[in-house]
Coordinates of all heavy atoms in Angstrom, one line a residue:
M1 N 0.8 -1.2 0.0 CA 0.0 0.0 0.0 C 0.9 1.3 0.0 O 1.1 1.9 1.0 CB -0.9 0.0 1.2 CG -2.0 -0.9 1.3 SD -3.2 -0.3 2.3 CE -4.5 -0.2 1.2
S2 N 1.3 1.6 -1.1 CA 2.1 2.8 -1.1 C 1.2 3.9 -1.7 O 0.4 3.7 -2.6 CB 3.3 2.6 -2.0 OG 3.0 2.4 -3.3
H3 N 1.4 5.0 -1.2 CA 0.6 6.2 -1.6 C 1.5 7.1 -2.4 O 2.7 7.3 -2.0 CB 0.1 6.9 -0.3 CG -0.9 6.1 0.5 ND1 -2.0 6.6 0.8 CD2 -0.8 4.9 1.0 CE1 -2.7 5.8 1.5 NE2 -2.0 4.7 1.6
S4 N 1.0 7.5 -3.4 CA 1.8 8.5 -4.2 C 1.1 9.8 -4.1 O -0.1 9.9 -4.3 CB 1.9 8.0 -5.7 OG 0.6 8.0 -6.3
Y5 N 1.8 10.8 -3.9 CA 1.3 12.1 -3.8 C 1.6 12.9 -5.1 O 2.6 12.8 -5.7 CB 1.9 12.9 -2.6 CG 1.6 12.3 -1.3 CD1 2.5 11.5 -0.6 CD2 0.3 12.6 -0.7 CE1 2.1 11.0 0.6 CE2 0.0 12.0 0.5 CZ 0.9 11.3 1.2 OH 0.6 10.8 2.4
S6 N 0.6 13.6 -5.5 CA 0.7 14.3 -6.7 C 1.4 15.6 -6.5 O 1.2 16.3 -5.5 CB -0.7 14.5 -7.3 OG -0.6 15.4 -8.4
C7 N 2.2 16.1 -7.4 CA 2.9 17.4 -7.4 C 1.9 18.5 -7.7 O 2.1 19.7 -7.4 CB 4.0 17.4 -8.3 SG 5.4 16.3 -7.9
E8 N 0.8 18.2 -8.3 CA -0.2 19.2 -8.7 C -0.8 19.8 -7.5 O -1.0 21.0 -7.4 CB -1.3 18.5 -9.6 CG -0.8 18.1 -10.9 CD -1.9 17.5 -11.6 OE1 -3.1 17.6 -11.3 OE2 -1.6 16.7 -12.6
L9 N -1.0 19.1 -6.4 CA -1.6 19.6 -5.2 C -0.7 20.6 -4.5 O -1.1 21.6 -4.0 CB -2.0 18.5 -4.2 CG -3.1 17.6 -4.6 CD1 -3.3 16.5 -3.6 CD2 -4.4 18.3 -4.8
D10 N 0.6 20.3 -4.5 CA 1.5 21.2 -3.9 C 1.7 22.5 -4.7 O 1.9 23.6 -4.1 CB 2.9 20.5 -3.8 CG 2.9 19.3 -2.9 OD1 2.0 19.4 -1.9 OD2 3.7 18.5 -3.0
S11 N 1.6 22.5 -6.0 CA 1.8 23.7 -6.7 C 0.6 24.6 -6.7 O 0.7 25.8 -6.9 CB 2.0 23.3 -8.2 OG 0.9 22.7 -8.8
K12 N -0.6 24.1 -6.3 CA -1.8 24.9 -6.2 C -1.9 25.6 -4.8 O -2.7 26.5 -4.7 CB -3.1 24.1 -6.4 CG -3.2 23.6 -7.8 CD -4.5 22.8 -8.0 CE -4.5 22.3 -9.5 NZ -5.7 21.5 -9.7
V13 N -1.1 25.2 -3.9 CA -1.1 25.8 -2.5 C -0.5 27.2 -2.7 O 0.7 27.3 -3.0 CB -0.5 25.0 -1.5 CG1 -0.4 25.6 -0.1 CG2 -1.2 23.6 -1.4
P14 N -1.1 28.3 -2.2 CA -0.5 29.6 -2.4 C 0.6 29.7 -1.3 O 0.5 29.1 -0.2 CB -1.7 30.6 -2.0 CG -2.7 29.7 -1.3 CD -2.5 28.3 -1.7
P15 N 1.6 30.5 -1.5 CA 2.6 30.7 -0.5 C 2.0 31.4 0.7 O 1.1 32.2 0.7 CB 3.6 31.7 -1.2 CG 2.8 32.3 -2.3 CD 1.7 31.4 -2.7
A16 N 2.6 31.1 1.9 CA 2.2 31.6 3.1 C 2.5 33.2 3.2 O 3.5 33.6 2.7 CB 2.9 30.9 4.3
P17 N 1.6 33.9 3.7 CA 1.9 35.4 3.9 C 3.0 35.6 4.8 O 3.4 34.8 5.6 CB 0.6 36.0 4.5 CG -0.3 34.8 4.8 CD 0.3 33.5 4.3
L18 N 3.6 36.8 4.6 CA 4.8 37.1 5.4 C 4.6 37.2 6.9 O 5.5 36.8 7.7 CB 5.4 38.5 4.9 CG 6.0 38.5 3.5 CD1 6.3 39.9 3.2 CD2 7.1 37.6 3.4
S19 N 3.3 37.5 7.3 CA 3.1 37.6 8.7 C 3.2 36.2 9.3 O 3.5 36.1 10.5 CB 1.8 38.2 9.0 OG 0.7 37.4 8.4
E20 N 2.8 35.1 8.6 CA 2.9 33.8 9.1 C 4.3 33.3 9.2 O 4.7 32.5 10.0 CB 2.1 32.8 8.3 CG 0.6 33.1 8.5 CD -0.3 32.1 7.7 OE1 0.3 31.1 7.2 OE2 -1.5 32.4 7.5
L21 N 5.2 33.8 8.3 CA 6.6 33.4 8.3 C 7.4 34.1 9.4 O 8.5 33.6 9.7 CB 7.2 33.7 6.9 CG 6.6 32.9 5.7 CD1 7.2 33.4 4.5 CD2 6.8 31.4 5.9
A22 N 6.8 35.1 9.9 CA 7.5 35.9 10.9 C 7.6 35.1 12.2 O 6.8 34.2 12.4 CB 6.9 37.2 11.2
S23 N 8.6 35.4 13.0 CA 8.7 34.7 14.3 C 7.6 35.1 15.2 O 6.9 36.2 15.0 CB 10.0 35.1 14.9 OG 10.1 36.4 15.3
P24 N 7.3 34.4 16.3 CA 6.2 34.7 17.2 C 6.4 36.1 17.8 O 5.4 36.8 18.0 CB 6.2 33.7 18.2 CG 7.0 32.6 17.6 CD 7.9 33.1 16.6
M25 N 7.6 36.5 18.1 CA 7.8 37.8 18.7 C 7.4 39.0 17.7 O 6.8 39.9 18.1 CB 9.3 38.0 19.1 CG 9.6 39.2 19.9 SD 8.6 39.1 21.4 CE 9.0 40.7 22.1
N26 N 7.8 38.8 16.4 CA 7.4 39.8 15.4 C 5.9 39.9 15.3 O 5.3 40.9 15.1 CB 8.0 39.5 14.1 CG 9.5 39.8 14.1 OD1 10.1 40.5 15.0 ND2 10.3 39.2 13.2
R27 N 5.2 38.7 15.3 CA 3.7 38.7 15.2 C 3.2 39.5 16.4 O 2.2 40.3 16.3 CB 3.2 37.3 15.2 CG 3.2 36.8 13.8 CD 2.5 35.4 13.7 NE 3.5 34.4 13.6 CZ 3.5 33.3 14.1 NH1 2.4 32.9 14.9 NH2 4.5 32.4 14.0
K28 N 3.7 39.3 17.6 CA 3.3 40.0 18.8 C 3.5 41.5 18.6 O 2.6 42.3 18.9 CB 4.0 39.4 20.0 CG 3.5 40.0 21.3 CD 4.1 39.3 22.5 CE 3.6 39.8 23.8 NZ 4.2 39.2 25.0
Q29 N 4.6 41.9 18.1 CA 4.9 43.3 17.9 C 3.9 43.9 16.9 O 3.4 45.1 17.1 CB 6.3 43.5 17.4 CG 7.4 43.2 18.5 CD 8.8 43.3 18.0 OE1 9.0 43.2 16.8 NE2 9.8 43.4 18.9
Q30 N 3.6 43.1 15.8 CA 2.6 43.6 14.8 C 1.3 43.8 15.4 O 0.6 44.8 15.2 CB 2.5 42.6 13.7 CG 3.8 42.6 12.8 CD 3.7 41.4 11.7 OE1 2.8 40.6 11.8 NE2 4.6 41.5 10.8
M31 N 0.9 42.9 16.3 CA -0.4 43.0 16.9 C -0.5 44.3 17.9 O -1.4 44.9 18.0 CB -0.9 41.8 17.7 CG -1.2 40.6 16.8 SD -2.4 41.0 15.6 CE -3.8 41.3 16.7
I32 N 0.6 44.5 18.6 CA 0.7 45.6 19.5 C 0.6 46.9 18.7 O -0.1 47.8 19.1 CB 2.0 45.6 20.3 CG1 1.9 44.4 21.3 CG2 2.3 46.9 21.1 CD1 3.3 44.2 22.1
K33 N 1.3 46.9 17.6 CA 1.2 48.2 16.7 C -0.2 48.4 16.2 O -0.7 49.6 16.2 CB 2.2 48.0 15.5 CG 3.6 48.2 15.9 CD 4.5 48.2 14.7 CE 5.9 48.4 14.9 NZ 6.8 48.4 13.8
K34 N -0.8 47.3 15.8 CA -2.2 47.5 15.2 C -3.2 47.9 16.4 O -4.0 48.9 16.2 CB -2.7 46.2 14.7 CG -2.1 45.8 13.3 CD -2.7 44.5 12.9 CE -2.0 44.1 11.6 NZ -2.5 42.8 11.1
T35 N -3.1 47.4 17.5 CA -4.0 47.8 18.6 C -3.7 49.2 19.1 O -4.6 50.0 19.4 CB -3.9 46.9 19.8 OG1 -2.5 46.8 20.2 CG2 -4.4 45.5 19.5
A36 N -2.4 49.6 19.1 CA -2.1 51.0 19.4 C -2.6 52.0 18.4 O -3.1 53.0 18.7 CB -0.6 51.2 19.5
K37 N -2.5 51.6 17.1 CA -3.0 52.4 16.0 C -4.6 52.6 16.1 O -5.1 53.7 16.0 CB -2.7 51.8 14.7 CG -2.9 52.7 13.5 CD -2.3 52.1 12.3 CE -2.4 53.0 11.1 NZ -1.9 52.4 9.9
R38 N -5.2 51.5 16.5 CA -6.7 51.6 16.6 C -7.1 52.5 17.8 O -8.0 53.2 17.8 CB -7.3 50.2 16.8 CG -7.3 49.3 15.6 CD -7.8 48.0 15.8 NE -7.5 47.1 14.6 CZ -7.3 45.8 14.6 NH1 -7.3 45.2 15.8 NH2 -7.1 45.1 13.6
A39 N -6.3 52.3 18.9 CA -6.7 53.1 20.1 C -6.4 54.6 19.8 O -7.2 55.4 20.2 CB -5.7 52.7 21.3
K40 N -5.4 54.9 19.1 CA -5.1 56.3 18.7 C -6.2 56.9 17.9 O -6.7 58.0 18.0 CB -3.8 56.4 18.0 CG -3.4 57.9 17.8 CD -2.0 58.0 17.2 CE -1.6 59.4 17.0 NZ -0.4 59.6 16.3
A41 N -6.7 56.0 16.9 CA -7.8 56.5 16.0 C -9.0 56.8 16.8 O -9.8 57.8 16.6 CB -8.0 55.4 15.0
K42 N -9.3 56.0 17.9 CA -10.5 56.2 18.7 C -10.3 57.5 19.5 O -11.3 58.2 19.6 CB -10.7 55.0 19.7 CG -11.3 53.8 19.0 CD -11.5 52.7 20.1 CE -12.1 51.5 19.5 NZ -12.4 50.4 20.5
Q43 N -9.1 57.7 20.0 CA -8.9 59.0 20.7 C -9.0 60.2 19.9 O -9.5 61.2 20.3 CB -7.5 59.0 21.4 CG -7.3 58.0 22.6 CD -8.2 58.4 23.7 OE1 -8.4 59.6 24.0 NE2 -8.7 57.5 24.5
N44 N -8.6 60.1 18.6 CA -8.8 61.3 17.7 C -10.3 61.6 17.4 O -10.6 62.7 17.2 CB -8.1 61.0 16.4 CG -6.6 60.9 16.6 OD1 -6.1 61.5 17.5 ND2 -5.9 60.3 15.6
K45 N -11.2 60.6 17.5 CA -12.6 60.9 17.3 C -13.3 61.5 18.5 O -14.3 62.1 18.3 CB -13.3 59.5 16.9 CG -12.8 59.0 15.6 CD -13.6 57.7 15.3 CE -13.1 57.1 14.0 NZ -13.7 55.8 13.7
I46 N -12.7 61.3 19.7 CA -13.4 61.9 20.8 C -13.2 63.4 20.9 O -12.1 63.9 20.8 CB -12.8 61.2 22.1 CG1 -13.1 59.7 22.2 CG2 -13.3 61.9 23.4 CD1 -12.4 58.9 23.3
V47 N -14.3 64.1 21.2 CA -14.3 65.6 21.3 C -13.9 65.8 22.8 O -14.6 65.3 23.7 CB -15.6 66.1 20.9 CG1 -15.6 67.7 21.1 CG2 -16.0 65.8 19.5
K48 N -13.0 66.7 22.9 CA -12.6 67.1 24.3 C -13.8 67.8 25.1 O -14.5 68.6 24.4 CB -11.4 68.0 24.3 CG -10.2 67.4 23.7 CD -9.0 68.3 23.8 CE -7.7 67.6 23.2 NZ -6.6 68.5 23.1
D49 N -13.9 67.5 26.4 CA -15.0 68.1 27.1 C -14.8 69.6 27.3 O -15.7 70.4 27.3 CB -15.1 67.4 28.5 CG -15.6 66.0 28.4 OD1 -16.2 65.7 27.3 OD2 -15.3 65.2 29.3
N50 N -13.5 70.0 27.6 CA -13.2 71.4 27.9 C -12.3 71.9 26.9 O -11.1 72.0 27.2 CB -12.7 71.5 29.3 CG -12.6 72.9 29.8 OD1 -13.0 73.8 29.1 ND2 -11.9 73.1 30.9
P51 N -12.7 72.4 25.7 CA -11.8 73.0 24.8 C -11.2 74.3 25.3 O -11.7 74.8 26.3 CB -12.6 73.2 23.5 CG -14.0 73.3 24.0 CD -14.0 72.4 25.3
Q52 N -10.2 74.8 24.7 CA -9.6 76.0 25.2 C -10.6 77.2 25.2 O -11.5 77.3 24.4 CB -8.5 76.5 24.2 CG -7.3 75.6 24.3 CD -6.2 76.2 23.4 OE1 -6.4 77.1 22.6 NE2 -5.0 75.6 23.5
K53 N -10.6 78.1 26.2 CA -11.5 79.2 26.3 C -11.3 80.1 25.1 O -12.3 80.7 24.6 CB -11.3 79.9 27.6 CG -11.7 79.1 28.8 CD -11.5 79.9 30.1 CE -11.9 79.1 31.3 NZ -11.6 79.8 32.5
N54 N -10.1 80.4 24.7 CA -9.8 81.2 23.6 C -9.1 80.4 22.6 O -7.9 80.3 22.5 CB -8.9 82.4 24.1 CG -9.5 83.2 25.1 OD1 -10.8 83.5 25.1 ND2 -8.8 83.7 26.0
P55 N -9.9 79.8 21.6 CA -9.3 79.0 20.6 C -8.5 79.9 19.7 O -8.7 81.0 19.5 CB -10.4 78.4 19.8 CG -11.6 79.2 20.1 CD -11.4 79.8 21.5
K56 N -7.4 79.2 19.1 CA -6.5 80.0 18.2 C -7.3 80.5 17.0 O -8.1 79.7 16.4 CB -5.4 79.1 17.8 CG -4.4 78.7 18.9 CD -3.3 77.9 18.4 CE -2.3 77.6 19.5 NZ -1.2 76.8 19.0
V57 N -7.0 81.7 16.6 CA -7.6 82.3 15.4 C -6.7 82.0 14.3 O -5.5 82.0 14.5 CB -7.8 83.8 15.6 CG1 -8.4 84.4 14.4 CG2 -8.6 84.0 16.8
G58 N -7.2 81.8 13.1 CA -6.4 81.5 11.9 C -5.6 82.8 11.5 O -5.7 83.8 12.2
Y59 N -4.8 82.7 10.6 CA -3.9 83.7 10.2 C -4.6 84.9 9.7 O -5.6 84.8 8.9 CB -2.9 83.2 9.0 CG -2.0 84.3 8.5 CD1 -1.0 84.8 9.1 CD2 -2.4 84.8 7.2 CE1 -0.2 85.8 8.6 CE2 -1.6 85.9 6.7 CZ -0.5 86.3 7.4 OH 0.3 87.3 6.9
I60 N -4.2 86.1 10.1 CA -4.9 87.4 9.6 C -3.8 88.2 8.9 O -2.8 88.5 9.6 CB -5.5 88.1 10.9 CG1 -6.5 87.3 11.6 CG2 -6.1 89.4 10.3 CD1 -7.0 87.9 12.9
S61 N -4.0 88.5 7.7 CA -3.1 89.2 6.9 C -2.9 90.6 7.5 O -3.7 91.2 8.2 CB -3.4 89.2 5.5 OG -4.6 90.0 5.3
K62 N -1.8 91.3 7.1 CA -1.5 92.6 7.5 C -2.6 93.6 7.0 O -3.0 94.5 7.7 CB -0.2 93.1 6.9 CG 1.0 92.4 7.6 CD 2.3 93.1 7.1 CE 3.5 92.5 7.7 NZ 4.8 93.0 7.2
A63 N -3.0 93.4 5.8 CA -4.1 94.3 5.2 C -5.4 94.2 6.1 O -6.0 95.2 6.4 CB -4.4 93.9 3.8
V64 N -5.8 92.9 6.4 CA -7.0 92.8 7.2 C -6.8 93.3 8.6 O -7.7 94.0 9.1 CB -7.4 91.3 7.3 CG1 -8.5 91.0 8.2 CG2 -7.6 90.8 5.9
R65 N -5.6 93.1 9.2 CA -5.3 93.7 10.5 C -5.4 95.2 10.5 O -6.0 95.9 11.4 CB -4.0 93.2 11.0 CG -4.0 91.9 11.7 CD -2.7 91.6 12.3 NE -2.0 90.8 11.3 CZ -0.6 90.7 11.2 NH1 0.1 91.4 12.0 NH2 -0.1 90.0 10.3
A66 N -4.8 95.8 9.5 CA -4.9 97.3 9.3 C -6.3 97.8 9.2 O -6.7 98.8 9.7 CB -4.1 97.7 8.1
Q67 N -7.1 97.0 8.4 CA -8.5 97.4 8.2 C -9.3 97.3 9.6 O -10.1 98.2 9.9 CB -9.2 96.5 7.2 CG -10.6 96.8 6.9 CD -10.8 98.2 6.2 OE1 -9.9 98.6 5.4 NE2 -11.9 98.8 6.4
M68 N -9.0 96.2 10.3 CA -9.7 96.1 11.6 C -9.3 97.2 12.6 O -10.2 97.7 13.3 CB -9.3 94.7 12.2 CG -10.0 93.5 11.5 SD -9.3 91.9 12.0 CE -9.5 91.9 13.7
E69 N -8.0 97.6 12.6 CA -7.5 98.6 13.4 C -8.2 100.0 13.1 O -8.6 100.8 14.0 CB -6.0 98.7 13.4 CG -5.4 99.6 14.3 CD -3.9 99.6 14.3 OE1 -3.3 98.5 14.2 OE2 -3.3 100.7 14.4
L70 N -8.3 100.2 11.8 CA -8.9 101.5 11.2 C -10.4 101.5 11.7 O -10.8 102.6 12.2 CB -8.8 101.5 9.8 CG -9.4 102.8 9.1 CD1 -8.6 104.0 9.5 CD2 -9.3 102.7 7.6
E71 N -11.1 100.4 11.6 CA -12.5 100.4 12.0 C -12.6 100.6 13.5 O -13.5 101.4 13.9 CB -13.2 99.1 11.6 CG -13.3 98.8 10.1 CD -13.8 97.5 9.8 OE1 -14.0 96.6 10.7 OE2 -14.0 97.2 8.6
E72 N -11.7 100.0 14.3 CA -11.7 100.2 15.7 C -11.5 101.7 16.1 O -12.2 102.3 17.0 CB -10.7 99.3 16.4 CG -10.7 99.3 17.9 CD -9.7 98.3 18.4 OE1 -9.6 97.3 17.9 OE2 -9.1 98.7 19.5
Q73 N -10.5 102.3 15.4 CA -10.3 103.7 15.6 C -11.5 104.6 15.3 O -11.8 105.6 16.0 CB -9.0 104.2 14.9 CG -7.7 103.6 15.4 CD -6.5 104.0 14.6 OE1 -6.7 104.7 13.5 NE2 -5.4 103.6 15.0
Q74 N -12.2 104.3 14.2 CA -13.3 105.0 13.8 C -14.5 104.9 14.8 O -15.1 105.9 15.2 CB -13.9 104.6 12.4 CG -12.9 105.0 11.3 CD -13.4 104.4 9.9 OE1 -14.3 103.5 9.9 NE2 -12.9 104.9 8.9
K75 N -14.6 103.7 15.4 CA -15.6 103.5 16.4 C -15.3 104.3 17.6 O -16.2 104.9 18.2 CB -15.8 102.0 16.7 CG -16.4 101.2 15.7 CD -16.5 99.7 16.1 CE -17.1 98.9 15.0 NZ -17.1 97.5 15.4
L76 N -14.1 104.3 18.1 CA -13.6 105.1 19.2 C -13.8 106.6 19.0 O -14.3 107.3 19.9 CB -12.2 104.8 19.5 CG -11.9 103.4 20.1 CD1 -10.4 103.3 20.3 CD2 -12.6 103.2 21.4
A77 N -13.5 107.0 17.8 CA -13.7 108.5 17.5 C -15.2 108.8 17.4 O -15.6 109.9 18.0 CB -13.1 108.8 16.1
E78 N -16.1 108.0 16.9 CA -17.5 108.3 16.9 C -18.0 108.3 18.3 O -18.8 109.1 18.7 CB -18.3 107.2 16.1 CG -18.0 107.3 14.6 CD -18.6 106.1 13.8 OE1 -19.3 105.3 14.4 OE2 -18.4 106.1 12.6
A79 N -17.6 107.3 19.2 CA -18.0 107.3 20.6 C -17.6 108.5 21.3 O -18.3 109.1 22.1 CB -17.4 106.0 21.3
A80 N -16.3 109.0 21.1 CA -15.8 110.2 21.7 C -16.6 111.4 21.2 O -16.9 112.3 22.0 CB -14.3 110.4 21.5
Q81 N -17.0 111.4 20.0 CA -17.7 112.6 19.4 C -19.1 112.6 20.0 O -19.7 113.6 20.3 CB -17.7 112.5 17.9 CG -18.3 113.7 17.2 CD -18.2 113.6 15.7 OE1 -18.0 112.5 15.2 NE2 -18.4 114.7 15.0
A82 N -19.7 111.4 20.1 CA -21.1 111.3 20.7 C -21.1 111.8 22.2 O -22.0 112.3 22.6 CB -21.6 109.9 20.5
E83 N -20.0 111.4 22.9 CA -20.0 111.9 24.3 C -19.7 113.4 24.4 O -20.3 114.1 25.2 CB -18.9 111.1 25.1 CG -19.1 109.7 25.3 CD -18.0 109.0 25.9 OE1 -17.0 109.7 26.3 OE2 -18.0 107.8 26.1
A84 N -19.0 114.0 23.4 CA -18.6 115.4 23.5 C -19.8 116.2 23.0 O -20.0 117.4 23.5 CB -17.4 115.6 22.6
S85 N -20.7 115.7 22.2 CA -21.7 116.6 21.6 C -22.8 116.9 22.7 O -23.3 118.0 22.7 CB -22.4 115.9 20.3 OG -22.9 114.6 20.7
P86 N -23.2 116.0 23.6 CA -24.2 116.4 24.6 C -23.6 117.4 25.6 O -24.2 118.4 26.0 CB -24.5 115.1 25.3 CG -24.2 114.1 24.4 CD -23.1 114.6 23.6
E87 N -22.3 117.3 25.9 CA -21.6 118.2 26.7 C -21.6 119.6 26.1 O -21.7 120.6 26.8 CB -20.2 117.7 27.1 CG -20.2 116.5 27.9 CD -18.8 115.9 28.2 OE1 -17.8 116.5 27.6 OE2 -18.7 114.9 28.8
Q88 N -21.3 119.7 24.8 CA -21.2 120.9 24.1 C -22.6 121.6 24.1 O -22.8 122.8 24.2 CB -20.7 120.8 22.7 CG -19.2 120.4 22.6 CD -18.8 120.2 21.1 OE1 -19.6 120.1 20.2 NE2 -17.5 120.0 21.0
A89 N -23.6 120.8 23.9 CA -25.0 121.4 23.9 C -25.4 122.0 25.2 O -26.0 123.0 25.3 CB -26.0 120.3 23.5
Q90 N -25.0 121.3 26.3 CA -25.2 121.9 27.7 C -24.4 123.1 27.9 O -24.9 124.0 28.5 CB -24.9 120.8 28.7 CG -25.8 119.6 28.7 CD -25.4 118.6 29.8 OE1 -24.4 118.7 30.4 NE2 -26.2 117.5 29.9
A91 N -23.2 123.2 27.4 CA -22.4 124.3 27.6 C -22.9 125.6 26.8 O -22.9 126.7 27.3 CB -21.0 124.1 27.2
E92 N -23.5 125.3 25.7 CA -24.1 126.4 24.8 C -25.4 126.9 25.5 O -25.7 128.1 25.4 CB -24.4 125.9 23.5 CG -23.1 125.6 22.6 CD -23.5 125.0 21.3 OE1 -24.7 124.8 21.0 OE2 -22.5 124.7 20.6
E93 N -26.2 126.1 26.2 CA -27.3 126.5 26.8 C -27.1 127.5 28.0 O -27.9 128.3 28.3 CB -28.2 125.3 27.3 CG -28.7 124.4 26.2 CD -29.5 123.2 26.7 OE1 -29.6 123.1 27.9 OE2 -29.9 122.4 25.9
K94 N -26.0 127.3 28.7 CA -25.6 128.1 29.8 C -25.2 129.4 29.3 O -25.4 130.4 29.3 CB -24.6 127.5 30.6 CG -25.0 126.2 31.3 CD -23.9 125.7 32.2 CE -24.3 124.5 32.9 NZ -23.3 123.9 33.7

C-alpha cells in the first residue's frame, strides 16, 4: 500500500503570507502596533469636554489687521464725538 502524492496539489497551494513566516515575537509586535493604532484612532474621534476658552484664530493678513484697526479707531472716534456733543450742547445753553 504505497501512496503516491501528486505534485499538482503542492503547486496549487498559495505561498504563506509574510506575517505567518515571521517569528512569534514579530507577530506579537505587529499586533501591539495594530492595537495602538486603533486606540489612537479612537482617541482622535473623541471631542474634548473642555476645549480652550480662547481657541486659536487663523492667520490674519497685514491688510486685514490694518482694516480692523482702522474700523476700531473710527468706532472710538465716533464714541468720543457722541460723548462730546451732549456736553457741548449743555455748555451752549448756559
Side-chain angles (χ1 to χ4, degrees):
M1 289 205 120
S2 70
H3 294 231
S4 64
Y5 293 102
S6 171
C7 292
E8 293 176 17
L9 293 176
D10 293 337
S11 64
K12 292 182 180 178
V13 175
L18 292 176
S19 62
E20 290 181 13
L21 297 176
S23 68
M25 190 61 186
N26 287 342
R27 273 187 259 146
K28 187 175 181 179
Q29 288 173 344
Q30 287 175 350
M31 290 304 297
I32 289 171
K33 283 184 180 181
K34 285 182 184 179
T35 54
K37 193 173 184 180
R38 289 179 188 149
K40 186 176 180 183
K42 283 184 182 180
Q43 285 296 325
N44 289 340
K45 291 180 182 178
I46 296 173
V47 177
K48 294 180 182 178
D49 292 338
N50 188 12
Q52 290 182 350
K53 291 180 182 178
N54 300 324
K56 290 183 180 180
V57 180
Y59 175 75
I60 300 173
S61 67
K62 287 183 181 179
V64 174
R65 276 187 265 151
Q67 183 67 30
M68 289 170 54
E69 189 175 318
L70 182 64
E71 290 174 1
E72 188 176 319
Q73 288 176 356
Q74 288 175 349
K75 287 179 184 177
L76 291 174
E78 289 174 3
Q81 189 178 15
E83 289 177 7
S85 61
E87 292 175 2
Q88 288 177 353
Q90 288 177 358
E92 290 175 1
E93 291 177 5
K94 292 182 181 180

